[in-house]
Amino acid sequence: MANILHPQASVEFSCPALEAIDIVHRYGSVTALDHVSLAVEEGEFVTILGPSGSGKTTLLRVIGGFETPTSAGRLDIAGVDVRGLPANHREVATVFQHYALFPHMTVGQNVEYGLKVRGVMPAGRRRQAEEALRLVRLSDKYNRQVHQLSGGEKQRVAFARALVTEPRILLLDEPMGALDEKLRREMQVEIRALQRELKATFIQVTHSQEEALTMSDRIAVMNRGRIEQLGTPAEIFDRPATRFVASFMGMTNIYDGTVRAVDGKTVRLDVAGHILCGLWTGPNSPLIGSRAFAAIHPQRVAINPLPDGGSFGLRGQVQSAAYRGAHTDIVLETAIGDFTASVGGFAPVGGTEVAVSWHPEDCAIGAIGEAT
């Protein structure tokens, strides 16, 4: 990994940036982390994704030293056991959703604060703060007051303040939650580009699927205190290993059934007497006769007038059509239940009989109850 403020001074590390093994944390009778394990390599951008209450923020706080876990088999940052070490003795820095900037300080003083605490002399603090502000494109804001900044500029200052201490891991706690949609999308691209430029290790927490897919090398999807699936954005989006992951990633068309045939990764699932064909995503091999789910993203299907139904598909009657600008969400009544298709350029009226079809590789089939 490169030195953050001096990327030309490259340093090679032989151990992962983070090794968290068998982490358990309880709040009274509530288990927030249920034997969670996560390893993050140097230079990776990993997002911990999940709904409220899934344990993602608790995991980030445990990594950062803001929470002491009930038990931990291992918790190493850059090869150093940090169990019992307070936050200010760990090689991490955190960017919070609401920035946590000091309103009585200038931008430069905010960025320099961590260096001042570490005893860095004023001239050195100024030089490093200016370099950090340059990285986040705020070179001309050193003497500005915090209240004079926009939301996006405040976020950049928060990043500069975290980066200036040159942490081994930068923790991002919902860093774009306070921004409007347009600015949030712009910042997703900027933060990802900054991480790649610095070759730094970022661990982000978010409940936004879009942020996770846009920014990450890998995504850990959490549910009820456990990691249900860990994989690349494409694996998480297209190959959900569990029913929860499929639903959380927007696969609104999810149906339970029985495995009838298996040909390598291709599985034929019987759902209410209708065969759905897709690719197996579960961690264990499928078994004939076992219960499984089929999940299909609405935007991965085609909808056509009868009689052309495709090789694998359903017939149904249009119940509603909602125009969304770039696409139209069409809800069909079919023999296996309601089915949603997101399509462009074709908006049949209610009551129309149509066919919906998909390619088998666009249908994920996994075992009910399994998790990786």
Side-chain angles (χ1 to χ4, degrees), residues 255-261 267-278 289-294 336 365:
Y255 309 96
D256 295 342
T258 303
V259 176
R260 292 303 183 205
V267 173
R268 297 176 74 90
L269 190 72
D270 185 337
V271 178
H274 293 262
I275 297 298
L276 306 186
C277 187
S290 63
R291 296 291 291 171
F293 70 88
I336 64 171
I365 298 180

Side-chain angles (χ1 to χ4, degrees), residues 149-182:
L149 304 178
S150 67
E153 288 171 336
K154 289 177 182 177
Q155 187 196 55
R156 289 189 179 94
V157 173
F159 266 88
R161 186 178 62 179
L163 292 171
V164 78
T165 61
E166 299 185 341
R168 292 291 293 274
I169 301 175
L170 186 63
L171 304 177
L172 312 179
D173 186 7
E174 303 267 11
M176 285 163 284
L179 303 179
D180 62 53
E181 183 176 359
K182 181 178 182 295

Side-chain angles (χ1 to χ4, degrees), residues 35 43 57 76 103 110 130 143 153 214 258 262 305 314 330 345 359:
H35 300 278
T57 299
D76 292 1
N110 266 281
E130 287 178 342
N143 291 312
E153 288 171 336
T214 300
T258 303
V262 178
L314 297 165
I330 299 171
H359 297 292

Side-chain angles (χ1 to χ4, degrees), residues 192-221:
R192 181 58 162 149
L194 179 64
Q195 184 266 338
R196 285 172 168 158
E197 177 187 350
L198 300 176
K199 299 182 175 63
T201 306
F202 284 15
I203 301 176
Q204 173 182 236
V205 156
T206 184
H207 63 273
S208 168
Q209 296 92 332
E210 180 190 35
E211 282 183 16
L213 294 170
T214 300
M215 303 174 71
S216 314
D217 293 310
R218 289 190 298 155
I219 300 170
V221 182

